[in-house]
Amino acid sequence: RSVMVGAGGLCAVLGAELVGFPGAGPLACITASFVGCVCWKMQGWSSHNPVSTVFGKVWLVLQPMLFGLIGAEIDLKELRLETISSGLAVIFGALVIRVICCCFVLLGGNLNMKEMLFVNLAWLPKATVQAALAPDALDMVRRDGNPTQVDIDRGEQILTIAVLSILVTAPLGSIGITLGGPRLLSTNGAITEGEEKSKEADKETATERV
């Protein structure tokens, strides 16, 4: 299964390049892995399975290469303050909208405010997808026979904002999870509620017997 997922992802990336849709390759890899994980769970596997273990070890080798190649695409001498400031504004604006939407989604659950806050912190990091898809726009422009400077600038802006999103959200999420986990998550409340429900059920049973 590991070979099938890996070979299928490689074929998807190379095949998408050949047919002229380079951005479809990484998306196909993510979709195939997601569908495979869902199907394997239906067959009795958990999230921690041999396939995830294999790709976890492979990721330890490929992760530095991926982020290193993305960082090498950015020329610090050509970075403009306008691009950085507008990129940060877009990132933080998107994070605010994401937090609001996350809170609305979690309102129907049984989570308290601290747990909802931790979910928002855990969803802050953005890195892998951005690193995989960020260079595609600039690569497509460079493949064009006669690219304009405007298109090149836009491709570089997309790449810069993607890298900024990684540099901003990944540390924030990691720090938030590390520091917020012990303070925001607790099993005491869940145990107490369960004990109270059990006691209430016992009382009702005793009353019925009487």
Side-chain angles (χ1 to χ4, degrees), residues 188-203:
N188 294 332
I191 295 174
T192 303
E193 291 178 1
E195 291 177 351
E196 290 179 355
K197 291 181 180 179
S198 178
K199 290 179 180 179
E200 291 178 359
D202 292 340
K203 289 180 181 179

Side-chain angles (χ1 to χ4, degrees), residues 54-77:
V54 170
F55 280 98
K57 295 179 180 179
V58 174
W59 179 241
L60 292 177
V61 179
L62 297 181
Q63 182 179 10
M65 299 172 59
L66 175 63
F67 289 103
L69 291 173
I70 298 303
E73 289 285 343
I74 298 179
D75 189 357
L76 296 178
K77 296 180 180 179

Side-chain angles (χ1 to χ4, degrees), residues 83-152:
T83 301
I84 297 176
S85 58
S86 59
L88 291 175
V90 170
I91 292 170
F92 283 107
L95 289 177
V96 170
I97 296 174
R98 187 176 184 180
V99 168
I100 295 173
C101 294
C102 179
C103 292
F104 276 112
V105 170
L106 296 175
L107 285 178
N110 297 323
L111 302 180
N112 55 38
M113 292 301 297
K114 290 184 177 181
E115 292 168 341
M116 292 173 63
L117 177 59
F118 180 79
V119 172
N120 281 285
L121 293 175
W123 283 0
L124 279 181
K126 304 296 293 180
T128 309
V129 178
Q130 281 73 11
L133 299 180
D136 283 350
L138 186 57
D139 290 340
M140 292 175 65
V141 172
R142 289 173 176 173
R143 291 193 193 96
D144 192 1
N146 188 20
T148 62
Q149 187 61 38
V150 175
D151 292 335
I152 295 176

Side-chain angles (χ1 to χ4, degrees), residues 2 5 52 77 90 100-101 112 119 137 140 150 155 165 168 171-172 174 186-187 199 207-208 210:
S2 301
V5 173
S52 63
K77 296 180 180 179
V90 170
I100 295 173
C101 294
N112 55 38
V119 172
M140 292 175 65
V150 175
S165 69
V168 171
L172 286 178
S174 179
S186 175
T187 58
K199 290 179 180 179
T207 303
E208 291 176 356
V210 172

